[in-house]
Amino acid sequence: MSFENLLIEREGNIAIVYVNRPQALNALNAATVKDLGHAFAELENNDEIDVVILTGAGDKSFVAGADIAFMKDFEPLEARDFALLGQKVLNQIENNKKPVIAAINGYAFGGGCELAMACDIRIAGEKAKFSQPEVNLGLLPGFAGTQRLPRLVGKGIAKELIYTGDIIDAQEAWRIGLVNKVVPGEKLLETAKEMARKIASKAQIAVRLSKQAINEGLEMDSHKAHTHEANCFGYCFSTQDQKEGMSAFLEKRPPNFTKK
Ligand code: CO8
């Protein structure tokens, strides 16, 4: 798998995707957004990959937003198309079968913050900075930031961040629930890999059904969501991993999961 604007490494059953446009602090033009879409589709279909880590190349920036030079002279319909493309690819990441961990190594601004929010779990290096600065450019978030930010941090704080364009540091992002944890920059990737390895050691069908139950359930009314969860729970009992996991517990030995 090789892409113009991404680097992809593999360590066992973990893939690490680097957005790689250092000349623009990894800002997203359409080609990069499309590369992300193709990469995540391939990773989703690769049975040897269980967890994906998404990060930015270099130590300065995760993704400094959508590419301002690329967007500057858009006609309204081109802008709408770019927003729709970004939304489609971020939805594809959010709903990818495999868990996705964002390792945020620097600026996560605008479309970069929106990209991080589409991931399942966010880990920030202590120097990471977050902002939805679109109001400084005469814009609003267009990769579904107006929807994901309030769902993560609540409506009031999301409105404050989006209306002011304020930049917050990693500790503040953790305090408001935008990131799961903050770690020293030099430990960021290793922490993300440790978490990925831990997730990859579990029963993968159960992990993927958990993701589905959470993501799909949150879009339903609670009664339907509970039924959906029960259906996913029932589905687990059609897997060998359920039989293995429960037998291993009762036999006091570690389970040997096979993704079946
Ligand atoms: N787009 C294009 N180029 C960028 C971007 C960007 N978002 N961010 C940085 N760059 C470029 C700079 O222009 C500069 O290029 P050059 O060396 O050729 O002059 C290079 O990266 C390095 O940047 P700086 O010199 O500015 O680096 P600093 O360390 O001084 O500052 C900052 C870093 C604070 C991150 C600063 O670069 C900055 O403020 N960048 C812009 C951040 C921003 O406003 N992001 C939001 C963009 S809008 C958006 O994301 C909307 C998403 C929804 C789109 C919907 C579709 C229509």
Side-chain angles (χ1 to χ4, degrees):
M1 237 191 305
S2 100
F3 295 96
E4 194 188 333
N5 303 294
L6 307 176
L7 294 171
I8 302 189
E9 289 173 357
R10 188 175 155 191
E11 281 189 31
N13 45 2
I14 296 162
I16 304 133
V17 177
Y18 296 82
V19 179
N20 185 35
R21 293 189 73 221
Q23 70 280 16
L25 297 181
N26 303 328
L28 302 173
N29 56 10
T32 311
V33 176
K34 285 180 188 161
D35 280 357
L36 282 167
H38 293 134
F40 274 88
E42 286 197 42
L43 293 168
E44 180 160 45
N45 290 322
N46 182 339
D47 289 341
E48 290 172 3
I49 298 296
D50 290 332
V51 183
V52 183
I53 295 171
L54 177 61
T55 190
D59 54 8
K60 201 172 165 188
S61 185
F62 174 70
V63 166
D67 189 314
I68 298 169
F70 171 73
M71 295 188 294
K72 180 178 153 293
D73 296 322
F74 272 169
E75 296 292 337
L77 288 180
E78 286 177 286
R80 181 175 179 275
D81 281 349
F82 188 44
L84 289 172
L85 170 71
Q87 290 173 6
K88 182 172 139 210
V89 169
L90 268 54
N91 287 340
Q92 192 195 331
I93 293 172
E94 183 169 53
N95 296 311
N96 198 282
K97 272 198 300 207
K98 319 285 169 79
V100 183
I101 300 171
I104 303 154
N105 52 315
Y107 298 113
F109 279 16
C113 189
E114 293 173 296
L115 177 62
M117 289 191 288
C119 299
D120 294 289
I121 293 164
R122 282 155 292 286
I123 305 176
E126 63 199 346
K127 293 208 176 115
K129 297 246 185 300
F130 298 79
S131 174
Q132 292 293 162
E134 286 87 351
V135 288
N136 297 321
L137 301 164
L139 305 175
L140 71 157
F143 289 168
T146 63
Q147 301 309 302
R148 289 198 178 92
L149 189 59
R151 282 168 171 78
L152 274 171
V153 305
K155 201 161 147 185
I157 303 222
K159 286 182 171 173
E160 180 183 339
L161 288 172
I162 290 172
Y163 297 173
T164 62
D166 277 353
I167 297 169
I168 58 169
D169 64 16
Q171 279 302 331
E172 178 66 359
W174 175 76
R175 191 189 69 78
I176 63 174
L178 181 54
V179 300
N180 297 55
K181 62 172 81 184
V182 180
V183 298
E186 67 277 11
K187 298 216 167 112
L188 175 64
L189 209 50
E190 193 42 43
T191 307
K193 287 180 189 174
E194 258 170 46
M195 191 186 280
R197 283 193 289 265
K198 184 186 274 189
I199 294 170
S201 74
K202 310 295 177 185
Q204 290 311 292
I205 298 173
V207 169
R208 291 170 198 173
L209 284 169
S210 304
K211 175 165 177 168
Q212 212 181 321
I214 294 167
N215 282 0
E216 294 177 1
L218 282 172
E219 301 303 320
M220 297 173 183
D221 71 48
S222 69
H223 179 69
K224 286 198 177 112
H226 294 182
T227 307
H228 183 45
E229 183 193 74
N231 291 338
C232 292
F233 186 80
Y235 188 97
C236 290
F237 281 74
S238 72
T239 67
Q240 286 175 24
D241 280 352
Q242 172 270 326
K243 291 170 189 41
E244 167 63 10
M246 291 191 156
S247 302
F249 175 80
L250 294 172
E251 291 162 17
K252 302 191 189 309
R253 61 172 174 81
N256 178 21
F257 292 126
T258 56
K259 291 195 251 180
K260 288 188 180 133

